[in-house]
């Protein structure tokens, strides 16, 4: 007699803004697929910035561990997350745990799953700088998660090579592209028809309906007001690095008074303190009418603003992946990158958190149209928008007994 078909349970566990953005397309696909029982558990390592993403994609977590504390420490959050995910897994007993990226949530959830003998599928596997201090602590989180995972979803062929070098069997690696491109395409489809209005920005800086995915503003007959979009949050930039970044923005704002600098400031207090101290209108000597410090944007608004931007200054991982698809030059305010594909293609330039280098690189792009044109060629090294399908079919193969 044939046995009853039993759905396999996949528990997708995440906690921060970028994990939510990159897993949203996978959650939506697995929830629709009748062959799986997909459960979403959030640690809420980020509270507000996570909820912004959940709202945009209409995802309601099955379990919300609600763990964020203001000014949480790495050890404190790790301990709380391992304990809470351990309890969740003891109740849920999933067949597979899925995590994404390199945050504390990823490491803690993978370790808790390992202790329960539950296989882990790691989305965005194999990114490496080779330097455990940068990004810190993410490089260690990635290396340790690789050791614990059973299935590795590598965005690119070079990520796959990194895993092979670490003796991961090639049968356990699938090159999928990065799911951030799937999320980006979902967002672009919404915002290109119906551009959101961004509170706190003048009309001249608002996203417009006709800014298409691969249209560079430089190619238009009447160029819009130049807009430099900024984000930053890396721990290795805390202190002096952030002060350098803020000084660079102030110098650029004075040198280019007709260019506007829009900075949605990350909610980490260690980021907000130097930004407000150096750049807010009340800061001594600041009064920069063309610098706009705003709250973190929901994903649709941020994608629309990236598409509206002339260039982007960032230390973010996700933004380095999205911007080349939009044809936006990126200046990376870090010393290392685990995303060499766009650097090789020439759309991303790594300059460190160094005031002079940031000013020099941004000024060159704002004043040299030929350089700008070269760096703003749309290029898609991180995927074709179909990473989710490859991940779902690999999970199906993994969970289906021969
Ligand atoms: C975390 C990840 C980092 C990821 C980044 C994405 C780790 C060690 N760091 O860094 O890899 O690139 O998220 O943004 O996993 N806060 C709020 N509300 C929020 C979010 C954060 O108030 O919605 C504040 C809290 O005071 C919190 C602090 O920011 O304690 C730091 O958050 P945390 O997740 O620990 O570190 P991030 O720097 O955000
Ligand atoms: N992002 C957003 N709103 C913002 C800034 C960024 O939605 O105000 C998105 C961005 O498009 C990217 C992701 O957040 O997909 C990157 O998150 P973050 O820089 O916090 O983390 P990282 O990618 O560096 O881990």
């Amino acid at each position: 007699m044939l046995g009853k078909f039993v759905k396999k349970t996949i528990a997708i566990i995440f906690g921060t803004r970028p994990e939510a953005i990159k897993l949203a397309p996978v959650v939506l696909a697995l929830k629709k697929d009748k062959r799986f029982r997909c459960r979403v558990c959030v640690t809420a390592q980020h509270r507000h910035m996570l909820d912004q993403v959940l709202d945009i994609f209409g995802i309601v977590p099955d379990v919300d561990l609600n763990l964020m504390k203001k000014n949480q420490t790495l050890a404190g959050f790790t301990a709380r997350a391992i304990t809470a995910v351990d309890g969740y897994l003891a109740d849920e007993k999933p067949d597979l745990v899925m995590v994404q990226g390199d945050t504390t949530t990823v490491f803690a959830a993978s370790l808790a799953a390992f202790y329960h003998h539950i296989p882990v599928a790691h989305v965005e596997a194999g990114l490496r700088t080779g330097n455990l201090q940068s990004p810190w602590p993410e490089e260690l989180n990635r290396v340790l998660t690789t050791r614990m995972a059973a299935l590795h979803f590598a965005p690119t062929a070079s990520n796959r090579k990194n895993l092979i070098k670490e003796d991961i069997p090639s049968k356990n690696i699938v090159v999928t592209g990065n799911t951030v491109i799937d999320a980006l395409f979902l967002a672009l489809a919404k915002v290109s028809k119906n551009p959101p209005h961004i509170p706190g920005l003048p009309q001249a800086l608002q996203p417009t309906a006709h800014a298409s995915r691969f249209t560079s503003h430089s190619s238009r007959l009447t160029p819009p007001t130049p807009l430099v979009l900024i984000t930053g949050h890396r721990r290795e930039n805390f202190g002096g690095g952030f002060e350098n970044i803020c000084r660079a923005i102030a110098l650029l704002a004075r040198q280019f008074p007709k260019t506007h600098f829009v900075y949605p400031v990350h909610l980490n207090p260690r980021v907000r303190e130097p930004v407000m101290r150096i750049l807010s209108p009340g800061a001594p000597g600041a009064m920069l009418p063309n610098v706009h410090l705003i709250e973190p944007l929901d994903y649709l608004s941020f994608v629309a603003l990236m598409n509206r931007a002339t260039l982007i200054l960032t230390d973010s991982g996700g933004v380095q992946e999205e911007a080349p698809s939009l044809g936006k030059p990126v200046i990376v305010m870090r010393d290392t990158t685990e995303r060499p594909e766009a650097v090789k293609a020439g759309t991303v330039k790594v300059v460190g958190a160094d005031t002079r280098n940031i000013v020099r690189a941004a000024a060159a792009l704002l004043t040299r149209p030929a350089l700008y044109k070269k760096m703003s060629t749309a290029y898609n090294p991180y995927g074709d928008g179909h990473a989710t399908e490859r991940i779902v079919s690999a999970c199906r193969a993994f969970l289906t007994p021969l």
Side-chain angles (χ1 to χ4, degrees), residues 276-277 279-287:
M276 300 317 277
R277 175 161 47 82
L279 290 174
S280 75
M287 281 312 287

Side-chain angles (χ1 to χ4, degrees), residues 198-225:
I198 299 177
L201 288 188
Q203 194 52 40
L205 302 180
Q206 293 292 338
T208 50
H210 28 267
S212 92
R213 204 157 71 211
F214 299 115
T215 300
S216 152
H217 286 280
S218 65
S219 64
R220 293 208 194 143
L221 289 176
T222 326
T225 307

Side-chain angles (χ1 to χ4, degrees), residues 17-18 21 233-234 264 296-299 302 306 316-319 322:
R17 170 172 70 189
I21 291 169
H233 69 84
R234 296 246 85 87
L297 292 170
D298 68 75
Y299 188 55
F302 190 75
M306 275 198 287
S316 160
V319 175
E322 292 160 335

Side-chain angles (χ1 to χ4, degrees), residues 15-19 45-52 68-74 77 80 102-106 135-138 141 233-235 238 266-271 296 315-317:
T16 67
R17 170 172 70 189
E19 295 162 76
Q45 176 175 336
H46 285 172
R47 182 70 275 170
H48 176 70
M49 284 155 55
L50 172 75
D51 292 345
Q52 276 185 318
M68 192 195 91
K69 287 195 177 155
K70 206 169 159 51
N71 263 320
Q72 59 205 5
T73 62
L74 291 174
F77 186 79
R80 292 203 303 284
D102 53 22
T103 65
T104 301
T105 290
V106 174
W136 181 85
E138 290 84 358
N141 288 341
H233 69 84
R234 296 246 85 87
R235 277 179 159 68
F238 284 178
H266 194 284
L267 291 179
N268 193 329
R270 300 284 306 271
V271 175
D315 66 12
S316 160

